Amino acid sequence: LAAAAATTGHAGVTSPYRRKLEATADMPFDADVFRVPPGYNAPQQVRPPAVSLIPPICNGFLVSHLVFRLVRIAQVHITLGDQTGTAMTVSWVTASELGNGTVRYGPSPDRMEMSAQGTHTRYDYFNYTSGFIHHCTLRNLKHGVKYYYAMGFGHTVRTFSFTAPPKPGPDVPFKFGLIGDLGQTFDSNSTLSHYEANGGDAVLFVGDLSYADAYPLHDNRRWDSWARFVERSVAYQPWIWTAGNHELDYAPEIGETVPFKPFTRRYRTPYRAAGSTEPLWYSVKVASAHIIVLSSYSSYGKYTPQWTWLSDELARVDRKATPWLIVLMHSPWYNSNNYHYMEGETMRVQFESWLVAAKVDIVLAGHVHSYERSRRFSNVAYNIVNGKATPVRDLDAPVYVTIGDGGNIEGIANNFTEPQPSYSAFREASFGHATLEIKNRTHAYYAWHRNHDGAKATADSVWLTNRHHLPTDDSK
Ligand SMILES: *[C@@H]1O[C@H](CO)[C@@H](O)[C@H](O)[C@H]1NC(C)=O
Ligand SMILES: *[C@@H]1O[C@H](CO)[C@@H](O)[C@H](O)[C@H]1NC(C)=O
Ligand SMILES: *[C@@H]1O[C@H](CO)[C@@H](O)[C@H](O)[C@H]1NC(C)=O
Ligand SMILES: *[C@@H]1O[C@H](CO)[C@@H](O)[C@H](O)[C@H]1NC(C)=O
Ligand SMILES: *[C@@H]1O[C@H](CO)[C@@H](O)[C@H](O)[C@H]1NC(C)=O
């Protein structure tokens, strides 16, 4: 590609590629990606409700005096259930009835001899009431082993599988998918399809999942449909969740004043295992990577819980055991797009010096609906009066990647600041996803894929060298 070929010398590249402009629209509720899998339990004789009492989102159907209640396992998703992947938390939703909360699992579909009992929750959001949201943590998994798991006993059993992540260690190859701001448009579907074609073992998701809040009253049925849409990937491999602004669902005008209510009821994170007191910031160790997840929308000033936890957490990082140090957040610190310009600045001021001192390899963020990759720069010399407020080349500093280009309903952010700042290596206003392939303790291959290319085409790529084990200049 002409854009990639131009990546020489010191000038950063603003890709001239222009995506085909098409209406950004959410897939309709009856789209194939949102289909609820079939299955129902035996008909139950119940007192027939007055027709007007049947909720508009009708999950049962009335036949004379028999109500067939549908207990269908839907919205299945998994994430790590502990810090290292010997546990996996399985979540799913049954719409109208609780159903059976047991998950059976084992190394083959015929030998699911282990079982775990889940818990469930429901929540109300204005006039929406969620289905039964089940969470069940499968423990005592062996690293690197493929497991089958099933739930829905007594109704319609659905079976899925995942491979427990390899044991963390210094030279354990692993391929991460990097996706942000996905939403549920036709572009979102393209992003997910491209990621599936490229193959990864787990997704680092940098926030903004469903965009249900784009609808009147934050129509929470769009939280349900989003989970049905991504099930085809996240039921089979763990996605590591970061909270974005679209997870806040803070709407005092309709009486909804608990931030992150739908997100935290629906999505679990292994925060307690990471010594955190809140699900919004935590860490996991996967293969050769120590991954720290931060919350842009929780307090992080000095002495706050997140500040205290991050301070302790950075001291716990052992680069000999897990050489790659990766930080996830939603709002980027280095963003040369006029959209959300400098929104990450207060958090940068608070934490950047820590990440540079810790020699973080890569910081991943979303929020801005375009793509950008930085060179290794830092901006930590400023002390109010010395005037040193310009980012400078710094080989101890992370590479910053903004990957908020998953393709949601708000459309592309196509207004970059000019001229392109020196810290910015490559930027383009297209939808896509990236992959990060850790090869060993010294090398990782990073690649960004735009949706309008074939899945295997890379529009921007770079070999990263590890900041602890091989801190060479890897920015070409
Ligand atoms: C919630 O209220 C809105 C606006 O009045 C209405 O359109 C919608 O049908 C209601 N939903 C439910 C589940 O009652
Ligand atoms: C749930 O399913 C499990 C596994 O088949 C079974 O052992 C258990 O008895 C069921 N629980 C209920 C309440 O039906
Ligand atoms: C979404 O993508 C999948 C896989 O590429 C495809 O089968 C499906 O038809 C797409 N759905 C929509 C609504 O575009
Ligand atoms: C781009 O952003 C700048 C700064 O916010 C604004 O002045 C300008 O109008 C924007 N241009 C377009 C085409 O939106
Ligand atoms: C690490 O991986 C890189 C890229 O595949 C390779 O060039 C290098 O030789 C590997 N290092 C070791 C010690 O195997």
Side-chain angles (χ1 to χ4, degrees):
L1 295 163
T7 313
T8 52
H10 292 292
V13 173
T14 300
S15 169
Y17 184 89
R18 288 290 166 267
R19 65 188 285 270
K20 181 165 58 85
L21 287 176
E22 55 199 347
T24 302
D26 273 351
M27 295 179 281
F29 273 127
D30 61 1
D32 54 359
V33 295
F34 297 144
R35 253 176 229 145
V36 183
Y40 55 88
N41 64 339
Q44 297 171 340
Q45 183 89 52
V46 299
R47 203 156 49 87
V51 171
S52 63
L53 291 181
I54 299 174
I57 333 158
C58 189
N59 291 304
F61 51 92
L62 185 68
V63 182
S64 180
H65 285 195
L66 289 180
V67 174
F68 291 75
R69 306 284 293 187
L70 303 192
V71 180
R72 303 196 282 200
I73 304 296
Q75 311 185 34
V76 179
H77 51 94
I78 64 172
T79 197
L80 296 194
D82 68 5
Q83 229 198 353
T84 63
T86 57
M88 198 71 82
T89 298
V90 177
S91 305
W92 72 96
V93 172
T94 52
S96 59
E97 279 191 24
L98 182 56
N100 184 323
T102 300
V103 177
R104 298 183 67 86
Y105 58 111
S108 87
D110 325 317
R111 283 184 38 234
M112 292 192 278
E113 282 153 9
M114 297 184 275
S115 75
Q117 185 59 40
T119 59
H120 67 270
T121 185
R122 300 187 85 168
Y123 72 89
D124 294 320
Y125 194 94
F126 190 64
N127 65 354
Y128 166 93
T129 300
S130 75
F132 296 88
I133 302 168
H134 298 256
H135 300 287
C136 180
T137 299
L138 317 186
R139 298 189 187 279
N140 302 314
L141 305 175
K142 290 196 176 65
H143 287 293
V145 170
K146 181 169 182 179
Y147 287 91
Y148 292 81
Y149 67 99
M151 65 286 241
F153 304 104
H155 307 287
T156 297
V157 177
R158 294 185 71 201
T159 304
F160 303 87
S161 63
F162 62 81
T163 300
K167 191 174 186 338
D171 294 295
V172 184
F174 199 84
K175 184 171 180 177
F176 291 104
L178 317 178
I179 301 177
D181 302 64
L182 186 57
Q184 47 193 302
T185 69
F186 294 91
D187 290 307
S188 319
N189 195 33
S190 173
T191 301
L192 186 58
S193 302
H194 275 69
Y195 167 60
E196 290 175 301
N198 273 328
D201 307 311
V203 167
L204 304 180
F205 192 88
V206 292
D208 284 2
L209 288 67
S210 75
Y211 288 77
D213 61 354
Y215 287 83
L217 306 171
H218 295 221
D219 188 347
N220 273 230
R221 293 175 305 165
R222 282 285 173 183
W223 273 108
D224 293 313
S225 60
W226 190 81
R228 296 200 293 271
F229 157 49
V230 295
E231 182 190 272
R232 70 186 201 232
S233 174
V234 69
Y236 299 92
Q237 58 172 255
W239 286 30
I240 308 300
W241 303 111
T242 311
N245 54 306
H246 288 278
E247 275 66 71
L248 278 161
D249 282 309
Y250 175 72
E253 68 280 11
I254 54 170
E256 290 299 337
T257 55
V258 179
F260 303 110
K261 190 206 273 182
F263 173 67
T264 53
R265 301 301 185 277
R266 291 166 182 273
Y267 292 89
R268 287 288 145 98
T269 66
Y271 67 98
R272 286 197 190 89
S276 168
T277 50
E278 292 288 337
L280 305 173
W281 56 88
Y282 63 100
S283 70
V284 290
K285 297 173 194 174
V286 178
S288 298
H290 187 127
I291 297 153
I292 294 178
V293 178
L294 298 180
S295 174
S296 298
Y297 305 98
S298 305
S299 52
Y300 42 75
K302 196 168 185 180
Y303 313 126
T304 59
Q306 185 168 207
W307 181 94
T308 304
W309 177 81
L310 181 60
S311 169
D312 295 344
E313 177 66 10
L314 288 171
R316 286 189 285 258
V317 173
D318 177 0
R319 303 295 279 272
K320 289 193 183 66
T322 46
W324 294 87
L325 184 51
I326 301 172
V327 176
L328 274 48
M329 62 186 66
H330 186 63
S331 188
W333 295 353
Y334 285 90
N335 160 41
S336 70
N337 197 303
N338 281 309
Y339 291 90
H340 302 308
Y341 188 64
M342 284 185 74
E343 282 184 20
E345 186 65 4
T346 53
M347 194 193 225
R348 183 192 70 76
V349 168
Q350 193 67 56
F351 289 146
E352 184 183 11
S353 61
W354 289 5
L355 298 203
V356 174
K359 299 191 165 100
V360 169
D361 292 295
I362 184 165
V363 172
L364 304 168
H367 201 36
V368 181
H369 303 158
S370 64
Y371 168 70
E372 183 162 23
R373 173 177 59 82
S374 83
R375 298 198 171 89
R376 295 193 184 277
F377 266 76
S378 69
N379 187 2
V380 293
Y382 185 54
N383 75 349
I384 300 281
V385 291
N386 65 5
K388 295 181 180 170
T390 306
V392 294
R393 289 281 284 158
D394 186 344
L395 289 185
D396 285 345
V399 165
Y400 293 89
V401 169
T402 302
I403 188 92
D405 56 344
N408 65 72
I409 196 170
E410 293 178 345
I412 203 83
N414 58 356
N415 184 352
F416 288 113
T417 63
E418 297 295 348
Q420 185 168 8
S422 54
Y423 65 74
S424 175
F426 186 95
R427 54 187 193 171
E428 181 179 314
S430 291
F431 292 137
H433 78 283
T435 52
L436 180 67
E437 287 177 68
I438 291 174
K439 302 290 186 184
N440 52 37
R441 76 187 65 190
T442 54
H443 286 78
Y445 180 69
Y446 166 85
W448 176 66
H449 306 265
R450 71 165 78 87
N451 285 352
H452 288 269
D453 291 333
K456 300 288 176 193
T458 54
D460 178 44
S461 63
V462 65
W463 276 96
L464 299 175
T465 54
N466 187 274
R467 288 307 92 190
H468 182 83
H469 292 279
L470 189 66
T472 54
D473 183 354
D474 55 2
S475 58
K476 294 188 192 162

